[in-house]
Amino acid sequence: GFVPTMGYLHEGHLSLVRLARKRVGRRGVVVVSVYVNPTQFAPQEDLARYPRDLARDLQLCETAGVDVVFAPGDREMYPGWQSGRGSWVEEQQLSQRMEGAARPTHFRGVATVVAKLFHLVQPDVAIFGAKDYQQAAVVRRMVEDLRFPLRVVVGPTRREPDGLAMSSRNAYLSAEERPQ
Ligand code: PAF
């Protein structure tokens, strides 16, 4: 059971870990990846300041009963990228609208890294959050189109007591922005 993340884990991620465990059972293996994927950020976006705390993530994963944390670096995920080398996975239809219209290279980055992670981890089941609804739809479509031998499960959005959907990027919000 595989839960791909960009780290800075919160209860939303941990609920996906519990879902993975439920799917694979006590004797199955639950893997969490922690990787801030540079190719899903446009140049003007928040890659550099995206929150990171691997030591805390590892602790949370251990407490949650995760078996393996895969935390690769850029050179492992994108060999030769610095020298202009690279291959892409691009879903052609669902990726074009909504968030994809505002962030034209975002879903290509997501599909590419998720395909790589699927090859490396080889899960039977991969869990995504409903918060990123379009992402889950794009991944499902990619799995179908490329015939990945795995099942995609989408877990419900977890919310803070004030109703805000849990997200690592909530750390950016000021006290005034949060209710807005
Ligand atoms: O939802 C995320 O955290 C990321 O988009 C994902 C699926 C881990 C790919 O980098």
PDB file of all heavy atoms in Angstrom, residues 4-6 35 37 40 110 113-114 128 132 135, ligand 1:
ATOM      1  N   PRO A   4       1.853   8.396  -1.652  1.00  0.00           N
ATOM      2  CA  PRO A   4       2.836   9.379  -2.104  1.00  0.00           C
ATOM      3  C   PRO A   4       2.557  10.741  -1.464  1.00  0.00           C
ATOM      4  O   PRO A   4       1.395  11.173  -1.434  1.00  0.00           O
ATOM      5  CB  PRO A   4       2.620   9.450  -3.625  1.00  0.00           C
ATOM      6  CG  PRO A   4       1.341   8.753  -3.911  1.00  0.00           C
ATOM      7  CD  PRO A   4       0.821   8.114  -2.671  1.00  0.00           C
ATOM      8  N   THR A   5       3.601  11.395  -0.956  1.00  0.00           N
ATOM      9  CA  THR A   5       3.415  12.715  -0.338  1.00  0.00           C
ATOM     10  C   THR A   5       4.600  13.620  -0.690  1.00  0.00           C
ATOM     11  O   THR A   5       5.628  13.148  -1.162  1.00  0.00           O
ATOM     12  CB  THR A   5       3.354  12.648   1.217  1.00  0.00           C
ATOM     13  OG1 THR A   5       4.691  12.607   1.756  1.00  0.00           O
ATOM     14  CG2 THR A   5       2.576  11.447   1.713  1.00  0.00           C
ATOM     15  N   MET A   6       4.413  14.903  -0.404  1.00  0.00           N
ATOM     16  CA  MET A   6       5.535  15.831  -0.505  1.00  0.00           C
ATOM     17  C   MET A   6       6.013  16.203   0.910  1.00  0.00           C
ATOM     18  O   MET A   6       6.703  17.194   1.105  1.00  0.00           O
ATOM     19  CB  MET A   6       5.148  17.081  -1.297  1.00  0.00           C
ATOM     20  CG  MET A   6       4.775  16.741  -2.748  1.00  0.00           C
ATOM     21  SD  MET A   6       5.056  18.063  -3.927  1.00  0.00           S
ATOM     22  CE  MET A   6       3.989  19.339  -3.320  1.00  0.00           C
ATOM     23  N   TYR A  35       8.744  13.409  -1.058  1.00  0.00           N
ATOM     24  CA  TYR A  35       9.579  14.015  -2.103  1.00  0.00           C
ATOM     25  C   TYR A  35       8.880  15.261  -2.624  1.00  0.00           C
ATOM     26  O   TYR A  35       7.750  15.182  -3.127  1.00  0.00           O
ATOM     27  CB  TYR A  35       9.807  13.012  -3.249  1.00  0.00           C
ATOM     28  CG  TYR A  35      10.619  13.589  -4.385  1.00  0.00           C
ATOM     29  CD1 TYR A  35      11.918  14.060  -4.176  1.00  0.00           C
ATOM     30  CD2 TYR A  35      10.086  13.676  -5.664  1.00  0.00           C
ATOM     31  CE1 TYR A  35      12.667  14.606  -5.219  1.00  0.00           C
ATOM     32  CE2 TYR A  35      10.827  14.213  -6.720  1.00  0.00           C
ATOM     33  CZ  TYR A  35      12.106  14.677  -6.481  1.00  0.00           C
ATOM     34  OH  TYR A  35      12.841  15.220  -7.505  1.00  0.00           O
ATOM     35  N   ASN A  37       8.445  17.397  -5.337  1.00  0.00           N
ATOM     36  CA  ASN A  37       8.722  17.169  -6.761  1.00  0.00           C
ATOM     37  C   ASN A  37       8.873  18.490  -7.520  1.00  0.00           C
ATOM     38  O   ASN A  37       7.871  19.196  -7.735  1.00  0.00           O
ATOM     39  CB  ASN A  37       7.553  16.357  -7.341  1.00  0.00           C
ATOM     40  CG  ASN A  37       7.627  16.261  -8.846  1.00  0.00           C
ATOM     41  OD1 ASN A  37       8.714  16.140  -9.410  1.00  0.00           O
ATOM     42  ND2 ASN A  37       6.473  16.323  -9.496  1.00  0.00           N
ATOM     43  N   GLN A  40       6.494  19.746 -10.686  1.00  0.00           N
ATOM     44  CA  GLN A  40       5.089  20.148 -10.638  1.00  0.00           C
ATOM     45  C   GLN A  40       4.926  21.596 -10.169  1.00  0.00           C
ATOM     46  O   GLN A  40       3.809  22.075  -9.999  1.00  0.00           O
ATOM     47  CB  GLN A  40       4.270  19.184  -9.792  1.00  0.00           C
ATOM     48  CG  GLN A  40       4.581  19.162  -8.307  1.00  0.00           C
ATOM     49  CD  GLN A  40       3.874  18.006  -7.612  1.00  0.00           C
ATOM     50  OE1 GLN A  40       4.302  16.859  -7.693  1.00  0.00           O
ATOM     51  NE2 GLN A  40       2.783  18.285  -6.910  1.00  0.00           N
ATOM     52  N   VAL A 110       3.123  16.159 -12.027  1.00  0.00           N
ATOM     53  CA  VAL A 110       2.520  15.188 -11.103  1.00  0.00           C
ATOM     54  C   VAL A 110       2.486  13.796 -11.745  1.00  0.00           C
ATOM     55  O   VAL A 110       2.910  12.803 -11.147  1.00  0.00           O
ATOM     56  CB  VAL A 110       1.094  15.624 -10.686  1.00  0.00           C
ATOM     57  CG1 VAL A 110       0.391  14.515  -9.921  1.00  0.00           C
ATOM     58  CG2 VAL A 110       1.127  16.905  -9.856  1.00  0.00           C
ATOM     59  N   VAL A 113       6.037  12.234 -12.006  1.00  0.00           N
ATOM     60  CA  VAL A 113       6.656  11.746 -10.763  1.00  0.00           C
ATOM     61  C   VAL A 113       5.862  10.576 -10.188  1.00  0.00           C
ATOM     62  O   VAL A 113       6.442   9.634  -9.653  1.00  0.00           O
ATOM     63  CB  VAL A 113       6.834  12.883  -9.727  1.00  0.00           C
ATOM     64  CG1 VAL A 113       5.561  13.189  -8.968  1.00  0.00           C
ATOM     65  CG2 VAL A 113       7.963  12.539  -8.772  1.00  0.00           C
ATOM     66  N   VAL A 114       4.547  10.624 -10.314  1.00  0.00           N
ATOM     67  CA  VAL A 114       3.741   9.516  -9.771  1.00  0.00           C
ATOM     68  C   VAL A 114       4.028   8.231 -10.570  1.00  0.00           C
ATOM     69  O   VAL A 114       4.158   7.147  -9.990  1.00  0.00           O
ATOM     70  CB  VAL A 114       2.238   9.877  -9.754  1.00  0.00           C
ATOM     71  CG1 VAL A 114       1.383   8.664  -9.444  1.00  0.00           C
ATOM     72  CG2 VAL A 114       1.967  10.977  -8.723  1.00  0.00           C
ATOM     73  N   PHE A 128      -4.669   8.347  -2.566  1.00  0.00           N
ATOM     74  CA  PHE A 128      -4.594   9.793  -2.792  1.00  0.00           C
ATOM     75  C   PHE A 128      -5.732  10.464  -2.028  1.00  0.00           C
ATOM     76  O   PHE A 128      -6.761   9.840  -1.766  1.00  0.00           O
ATOM     77  CB  PHE A 128      -4.710  10.109  -4.293  1.00  0.00           C
ATOM     78  CG  PHE A 128      -3.499   9.660  -5.067  1.00  0.00           C
ATOM     79  CD1 PHE A 128      -3.360   8.327  -5.453  1.00  0.00           C
ATOM     80  CD2 PHE A 128      -2.485  10.552  -5.369  1.00  0.00           C
ATOM     81  CE1 PHE A 128      -2.227   7.906  -6.142  1.00  0.00           C
ATOM     82  CE2 PHE A 128      -1.352  10.132  -6.060  1.00  0.00           C
ATOM     83  CZ  PHE A 128      -1.216   8.809  -6.441  1.00  0.00           C
ATOM     84  N   ASP A 132      -7.215  16.999  -3.269  1.00  0.00           N
ATOM     85  CA  ASP A 132      -6.671  17.306  -4.596  1.00  0.00           C
ATOM     86  C   ASP A 132      -7.452  16.475  -5.612  1.00  0.00           C
ATOM     87  O   ASP A 132      -6.942  15.510  -6.195  1.00  0.00           O
ATOM     88  CB  ASP A 132      -5.170  16.997  -4.626  1.00  0.00           C
ATOM     89  CG  ASP A 132      -4.418  17.842  -3.612  1.00  0.00           C
ATOM     90  OD1 ASP A 132      -4.543  19.076  -3.655  1.00  0.00           O
ATOM     91  OD2 ASP A 132      -3.730  17.260  -2.754  1.00  0.00           O
ATOM     92  N   GLN A 135      -6.233  16.112  -9.208  1.00  0.00           N
ATOM     93  CA  GLN A 135      -5.033  15.265  -9.225  1.00  0.00           C
ATOM     94  C   GLN A 135      -5.413  13.778  -9.164  1.00  0.00           C
ATOM     95  O   GLN A 135      -4.881  12.952  -9.918  1.00  0.00           O
ATOM     96  CB  GLN A 135      -4.142  15.621  -8.033  1.00  0.00           C
ATOM     97  CG  GLN A 135      -3.014  14.615  -7.782  1.00  0.00           C
ATOM     98  CD  GLN A 135      -2.068  15.075  -6.700  1.00  0.00           C
ATOM     99  OE1 GLN A 135      -1.189  15.877  -6.981  1.00  0.00           O
ATOM    100  NE2 GLN A 135      -2.214  14.570  -5.481  1.00  0.00           N
TER     101      GLN A 135
HETATM  102  O1  PAF B   1      -0.343  15.484  -3.609  1.00  0.00           O
HETATM  103  C1  PAF B   1       0.895  15.548  -3.478  1.00  0.00           C
HETATM  104  O2  PAF B   1       1.425  15.672  -2.378  1.00  0.00           O
HETATM  105  C2  PAF B   1       1.757  15.481  -4.729  1.00  0.00           C
HETATM  106  O3  PAF B   1       1.165  16.118  -5.802  1.00  0.00           O
HETATM  107  C3  PAF B   1       2.199  14.051  -5.086  1.00  0.00           C
HETATM  108  C4  PAF B   1       1.007  13.181  -5.460  1.00  0.00           C
HETATM  109  C5  PAF B   1       2.946  13.432  -3.932  1.00  0.00           C
HETATM  110  C6  PAF B   1       3.129  14.082  -6.310  1.00  0.00           C
HETATM  111  O4  PAF B   1       4.263  14.843  -6.065  1.00  0.00           O
END
